Amino acid sequence: MGLQPLEFSDCYLDSPWFRERVRAHEAELEKTNKFIKELLKDGKNLIAATKNLSAAQRKFAHSLRDFKFEFIGDAETDDERYIDASLHEFSNFLKNLEEQREILAISVTETLIKPLERFRKEQLGAVKEEKKKFDKETEKNYSLLEKHLNLSAKKKELQLQEADNQVEQNRKHFYELSLEYVCKLQEIQERKKFECVEPVLSFFQGLFTFYHQGYELAKDFNHYKTALQINIQNTRNRFEGTRSEVEELMNKIRRNPQEHKRANHFTMEGYLYVQEKRPAPFGSSWVKHYCMYRKETKKFSMIPFEHRSGGKVGDAELFILTYCTKRNADTIDRRFCFDLEASDRPGVPVTMQAFSEEDRKLWMEALDGKEAVSIIFKIFFYSAQLDKIGFTIIKKCISAVETRGINDQGLYRVVGVSSKVQRLLSLLMDSKTCNEVDLENSVDWEVKTITSAMKQYLRSLPEPLMTYELHGEFIVPAKSGSPESRVNAVHFLVHKLPEKNKEMLEILVKHLANVSKHAKKNLMTVANLGVVFGPTLMRPQEETVAAIMDLKFQNIVVEILIENHEKIFKTLPDATFPEPISMSVSPPNAPPRQSRRQGQRIKRPLAVYNLCLELDDADSHSSPREDTPTGSMDSLSSQSPTPAFSSSPLGLLDENHLIMDSGDLAGWTTNLPAQSRPSMVSWMNIPSATPAATDAALPNFIFPSPATGTDRAVESVAHRKARAVYPCEAEHSSELSFQIGAIFEDVQFSREPGWLEGTLDGKRGLIPQNYVQFL
């Protein structure tokens, strides 16, 4: 049962029951006061904890912002560049979140702490003061009454009347105070219901606002997060392919280090111990030096080295070699020694000690020393040449592939049986049997055997089609610059190739472009063809870790060749080299569509590209596949590859871009909980090709630019069709919403920069220019 109401009439009776009800009201207010006091204490602790959490989050954000990944090589891929920048993005996200948390902390103080403190001080404090007055007047009233009643009846009438008036006046004052106190008690009981609860409601409103802002931040961040997962998966796949290549190179070098010696201007280099003579009592000492010798100039240089100190312990010494002789074991108490004599110190030989007898033989051979032993290096000779037979082989293979197997799934990725490939290649490379081999009509030669033989022939050339000389120049534009500058640079360099190389390359690239046009059936997209033919057409002169790191850029060059073969081979490049490539130029990915909502994060478009699923073939089990094992699939698919089977969860491919089923597309573009991603992409398989394992190429979309002052550019675009390559949700009634694969009719440039106008399903509206590809 609740508190009994305090009747004003009871103030005059001042009965025991009235006093009990007053005490009940006072106890309730004391209970409320304690509750508010505890709530204030907890609220202040909450603010302090929030500030501590915010400080920890900001420190964590600063740590993310200040760290930067270093990369191996002289350039990063777009994926690596975005991954490198991701920590800064995470830092910004936390920073924005903490700004909202600060607002929450301020709102707790303003909306909860201060109102409750004010209510406790002004309202409950006022009641306490009223209680003190009431208790004081009660005591005074009853004391005066007792004193008055004790007056003797024998007192004078005037004195008794004066005493009666005083008591009556005091009683009235007591009654008035009692009425005010009762009124105040009941008023505060009613007031506390909203004065206490309203600040708590405001606090929760601020809390809800904070969580809502966090949700909005996460929602805006989701687009970047999804794209970053693709970047990470790209890098993971490249890592898996590169690791296998590096391990293979390491094992080759381990088996025979001398065969894989890096080419440089030194004839011989390595560590030797040099004898340093001391005065007679002290004998001599042997000091380790790193020695380098150039046979052409006879310059011998050596640098003292101490592994304990981790580096050089003195200056380099250089001299001109006069002669070198072997020291016999009976002339010195150490093994593997030989003497050198310098031109500036005739007659004063320098004694050196090699690590082993084999090491000494190598030095003696390089230094033209006496008793030098010749080293036989293993040399491979290839009979493949860019001659008439070579062109015949390529043309016959291409004709057979386009006639019989242009739609075969995994074309050029599925390898043939090694013995059959070698047999076919030997027949084709023999001028007597080459013309007799019928590849188009004979069932003896499978398509995968033909494609493997063609690739093997290209790899057997003494020099790759794109030459060792231009290898580095082709790599440079692939590492940076805009899509247009990349194409121009490759265009320029192709025309620097020897005529036969360029002619053979044109034949091959034209064929690969035709293969990519059938990607919907054969699953060989431009990106996947780049993976296969990158190391075939652009193998490096030296097999090094640095060369393996550049494999991903070779794929990009091959993609550029395939996508722009008409321009590159049918037109002449500019007379001068195209614009210089700067490492600071932003990556060639499509620019983001700017959001129109005030304060919203700039969204980055999610590029979805083709995926060639790795195919299994019973006939190829006896020979190794041309694909390295795929990497972990803990995140979304690679940015270049995307699923291509019609039975896949995302639908079918249409040439170079994915057309998704409407039922699955929504799940792809909406916020995905982290725990659902692995199951969503478990069907994906990202191939990496060997030899020289490579990754999926970077996107190279080239979008038309708005016309600038002429109608010709506009006319070339007007009334054309375009396909959506990114999903988009309209943010204004004048814009169109669409999914990947949507086909737009009557596409024209809009007056608003960066936007197009087009028609979709009978509705006309604005389309972000960098979200579509013209057909």
Side-chain angles (χ1 to χ4, degrees):
M1 186 173 179
L3 295 172
Q4 291 292 324
L6 299 175
E7 298 292 345
F8 292 118
S9 58
D10 290 340
C11 294
Y12 294 92
L13 293 175
D14 198 16
S15 65
W17 300 278
F18 169 73
R19 287 287 176 166
E20 286 182 4
R21 289 196 291 269
V22 168
R23 282 195 295 271
H25 278 262
E26 291 173 344
E28 173 61 23
L29 290 182
E30 184 60 28
K31 180 181 174 183
T32 302
N33 183 54
K34 289 182 179 180
F35 163 72
I36 294 176
K37 189 175 180 180
E38 287 295 319
L39 194 62
L40 288 172
K41 180 182 176 182
D42 294 339
K44 290 176 181 179
N45 290 337
L46 175 62
I47 293 174
T50 300
K51 289 181 178 179
N52 290 336
L53 175 61
S54 182
Q57 292 268 46
R58 287 185 179 278
K59 188 176 184 304
F60 183 73
H62 289 160
S63 299
L64 290 176
R65 183 194 62 190
D66 295 339
F67 184 79
K68 180 177 176 61
F69 290 109
E70 291 297 336
F71 59 92
I72 299 177
D74 56 0
E76 295 175 290
T77 63
D78 293 342
D79 294 316
E80 292 166 338
R81 195 174 293 115
Y82 286 142
I83 289 174
D84 188 29
S86 65
L87 297 184
H88 195 272
E89 290 287 338
F90 296 154
S91 174
N92 289 337
F93 175 80
L94 286 178
K95 180 182 176 183
N96 293 334
L97 189 64
E98 291 317 303
E99 289 176 356
Q100 300 301 324
R101 198 187 303 277
E102 284 185 359
I103 295 174
L104 172 63
I106 294 173
S107 70
V108 171
T109 301
E110 295 296 327
T111 61
L112 180 67
I113 304 298
K114 288 184 178 181
L116 288 179
E117 285 180 338
R118 189 163 52 248
F119 175 75
R120 182 169 173 267
K121 180 179 179 181
E122 296 178 2
Q123 302 298 327
L124 294 180
V127 172
K128 284 186 176 182
E129 291 298 322
E130 291 290 330
K131 181 180 184 304
K132 290 178 182 179
K133 292 180 181 179
F134 177 72
D135 291 341
K136 184 178 179 181
E137 286 297 324
T138 299
E139 184 64 28
K140 181 180 177 181
N141 179 61
Y142 285 109
S143 297
L144 186 61
L145 184 61
E146 288 179 6
K147 183 180 178 181
H148 178 67
L149 293 176
N150 287 331
L151 284 177
S152 174
K154 297 178 180 181
K155 291 281 185 180
K156 294 180 180 182
E157 186 64 27
L158 183 62
Q159 289 179 333
L160 292 175
Q161 188 176 2
E162 184 178 348
D164 290 342
N165 291 337
Q166 185 178 1
V167 169
E168 185 64 26
Q169 186 178 358
N170 188 73
R171 183 181 296 151
K172 287 182 179 179
H173 180 68
F174 169 70
Y175 289 154
E176 288 179 3
L177 191 61
S178 178
L179 288 171
E180 290 178 0
Y181 182 52
V182 166
C183 182
K184 191 68 176 178
L185 280 176
Q186 298 193 109
E187 176 189 330
I188 203 67
Q189 295 291 2
E190 295 299 316
R191 182 185 289 272
K192 71 177 183 182
K193 296 175 184 177
F194 57 87
E195 291 278 8
C196 292
V197 176
E198 189 174 37
V200 177
L201 175 61
S202 299
F203 162 72
F204 274 94
Q205 182 61 38
L207 196 64
F208 297 151
T209 302
F210 168 71
Y211 285 122
H212 179 73
Q213 291 292 341
Y215 168 77
E216 287 296 322
L217 284 173
K219 186 177 179 182
D220 292 340
F221 192 77
N222 186 67
H223 197 83
Y224 173 74
K225 178 193 69 176
T226 308
L228 180 61
Q229 288 166 345
I230 292 176
N231 299 141
I232 292 173
Q233 189 60 50
N234 277 350
T235 307
R236 185 191 299 277
N237 295 329
R238 278 194 291 270
F239 164 76
E240 294 295 336
T242 302
R243 181 175 63 177
S244 64
E245 287 298 307
V246 171
E247 289 176 352
E248 183 179 349
L249 175 60
M250 178 183 67
N251 292 331
K252 287 181 181 178
I253 294 177
R254 179 186 293 155
R255 288 192 295 269
N256 197 335
Q258 293 303 321
E259 284 189 9
H260 293 83
K261 179 184 174 184
R262 291 192 62 190
N264 54 39
H265 56 277
F266 292 112
T267 307
M268 188 69 183
E269 61 181 320
Y271 285 105
L272 293 170
Y273 280 91
V274 180
Q275 185 183 36
E276 293 185 354
K277 296 181 180 179
R278 297 181 179 180
F282 302 101
S284 61
S285 64
W286 295 82
V287 180
K288 187 178 180 182
H289 286 68
Y290 190 80
C291 303
M292 297 159 285
Y293 177 68
R294 294 189 64 176
K295 197 168 187 176
E296 298 83 5
T297 60
K298 291 188 175 294
K299 289 182 178 180
F300 190 98
S301 59
M302 54 186 187
I303 304 170
F305 182 87
E306 173 56 56
H307 68 273
R308 293 184 184 88
S309 62
K312 298 185 295 182
V313 293
D315 297 328
E317 184 179 352
L318 176 67
F319 59 84
I320 305 299
L321 180 70
T322 303
Y323 71 87
C324 169
T325 56
K326 178 182 176 182
R327 286 289 294 268
N328 294 324
D330 56 353
T331 63
I332 193 169
D333 62 350
R334 290 201 171 207
R335 300 185 298 164
F336 320 134
C337 294
F338 57 93
D339 290 338
L340 301 181
E341 185 172 308
S343 60
D344 58 342
R345 289 175 287 181
V348 184
V350 179
T351 302
M352 297 189 172
Q353 182 184 25
F355 285 0
S356 64
E357 184 60 33
E358 181 65 25
D359 192 30
R360 179 169 67 172
K361 288 179 181 180
L362 292 173
W363 278 104
M364 295 289 290
E365 168 71 13
L367 299 170
D368 293 327
K370 295 178 181 179
E371 299 185 25
V373 179
S374 299
I375 306 299
I376 301 175
F377 291 98
K378 191 175 182 181
I379 302 176
F380 295 93
F381 295 96
Y382 298 95
S383 58
Q385 298 292 333
L386 285 178
D387 52 12
K388 183 177 179 181
I389 291 180
F391 277 88
T392 302
I393 292 172
I394 294 298
K395 289 178 180 177
K396 285 176 72 74
C397 290
I398 288 176
S399 178
V401 171
E402 295 192 346
T403 302
R404 298 173 51 193
I406 194 70
N407 292 323
D408 288 4
Q409 289 186 353
L411 185 66
Y412 286 109
R413 289 197 70 92
V414 180
V415 297
V417 178
S418 180
S419 58
K420 292 183 180 180
V421 173
Q422 294 298 332
R423 180 164 164 262
L424 173 60
L425 199 56
S426 62
L427 291 174
L428 290 174
M429 295 180 68
D430 189 341
S431 58
K432 297 179 182 179
T433 58
C434 179
N435 293 327
E436 297 177 2
V437 178
D438 185 4
L439 298 179
E440 293 187 19
N441 302 309
S442 175
V443 295
D444 295 335
W445 307 111
E446 297 175 286
V447 173
K448 63 181 180 180
T449 304
I450 298 172
T451 56
S452 297
M454 186 168 76
K455 288 185 292 183
Q456 184 60 44
Y457 166 80
L458 293 171
R459 292 176 191 141
S460 300
L461 291 171
E463 189 176 30
L465 269 185
M466 300 176 76
T467 73
Y468 293 134
E469 181 183 358
L470 295 177
H471 179 86
E473 295 185 46
F474 273 111
I475 291 293
V476 169
K479 290 183 175 180
S480 60
S482 63
E484 184 179 358
S485 66
R486 292 182 180 185
V487 174
N488 291 339
V490 172
H491 188 189
F492 180 86
L493 293 170
V494 164
H495 287 265
K496 289 179 65 177
L497 290 171
E499 194 59 37
K500 285 187 177 180
N501 294 58
K502 187 175 72 172
E503 183 181 351
M504 177 73 81
L505 185 64
E506 180 179 1
I507 293 171
L508 180 63
V509 171
K510 182 180 179 181
H511 164 64
L512 296 181
N514 188 25
V515 171
S516 68
K517 291 178 181 177
H518 295 75
K520 190 172 182 179
K521 294 183 178 179
N522 61 33
L523 310 181
M524 292 306 294
T525 64
V526 173
N528 292 321
L529 290 171
V531 169
V532 173
F533 282 91
T536 300
L537 301 179
M538 291 187 65
R539 68 179 186 272
Q541 189 167 10
E542 288 186 84
E543 203 171 356
T544 63
V545 174
I548 292 174
M549 294 300 174
D550 280 344
L551 290 176
K552 51 199 172 190
F553 300 110
Q554 294 174 187
N555 304 344
I556 298 175
V557 175
V558 174
E559 289 182 42
I560 293 172
L561 288 172
I562 297 173
E563 291 176 337
N564 304 275
H565 68 283
E566 289 290 340
K567 174 183 177 180
I568 291 174
F569 293 102
K570 299 300 183 184
T571 64
L572 293 175
D574 295 336
T576 57
F577 193 77
E579 61 184 79
I581 304 296
S582 170
M583 291 300 177
S584 63
V585 177
S586 60
N589 283 16
R593 173 176 182 258
Q594 300 293 335
S595 172
R596 293 190 168 198
R597 286 189 291 170
Q598 184 66 26
Q600 184 188 5
R601 171 191 184 83
I602 294 176
K603 294 184 179 180
R604 307 185 181 191
L606 171 60
V608 183
Y609 302 100
N610 306 355
L611 166 68
C612 175
L613 296 180
E614 196 169 346
L615 302 176
D616 193 11
D617 192 284
D619 198 20
S620 64
H621 289 170
S622 59
S623 61
R625 292 183 60 85
E626 204 173 75
D627 306 330
T628 60
T630 56
S632 169
M633 296 305 298
D634 292 337
S635 58
L636 290 178
S637 169
S638 170
Q639 184 165 334
S640 283
T642 309
F645 276 151
S646 60
S647 59
S648 71
L650 294 182
L652 295 173
L653 286 171
D654 181 11
E655 296 186 359
N656 295 326
H657 303 288
L658 189 67
I659 300 178
M660 297 183 174
D661 294 336
S662 59
D664 296 305
L665 186 57
W668 178 263
T669 57
T670 55
N671 301 334
L672 296 175
Q675 64 269 23
S676 68
R677 287 194 298 272
S679 61
M680 179 179 178
V681 297
S682 59
W683 48 271
M684 293 185 178
N685 186 14
I686 311 300
S688 300
T690 56
T694 55
D695 57 274
L698 303 175
N700 270 319
F701 287 131
I702 300 176
F703 301 102
S705 301
T708 54
T710 65
D711 295 332
R712 183 176 302 174
V714 177
E715 290 174 358
S716 65
V717 178
H719 310 299
R720 290 182 58 183
K721 293 184 178 181
R723 179 190 293 111
V725 294
Y726 310 121
C728 177
E729 183 177 351
E731 298 174 356
H732 191 272
S733 58
S734 61
E735 301 172 17
L736 293 177
S737 295
F738 51 85
Q739 304 292 357
I740 295 176
I743 303 297
F744 302 97
E745 304 284 345
D746 192 18
V747 179
Q748 303 178 30
F749 279 115
S750 170
R751 295 180 181 178
E752 186 174 353
W755 292 79
L756 303 171
E757 291 182 9
T759 303
L760 177 65
D761 297 332
K763 181 181 178 181
R764 190 161 186 82
L766 293 174
I767 311 162
Q769 181 180 338
N770 56 349
Y771 273 49
V772 301
Q773 183 185 40
F774 284 94
L775 301 178

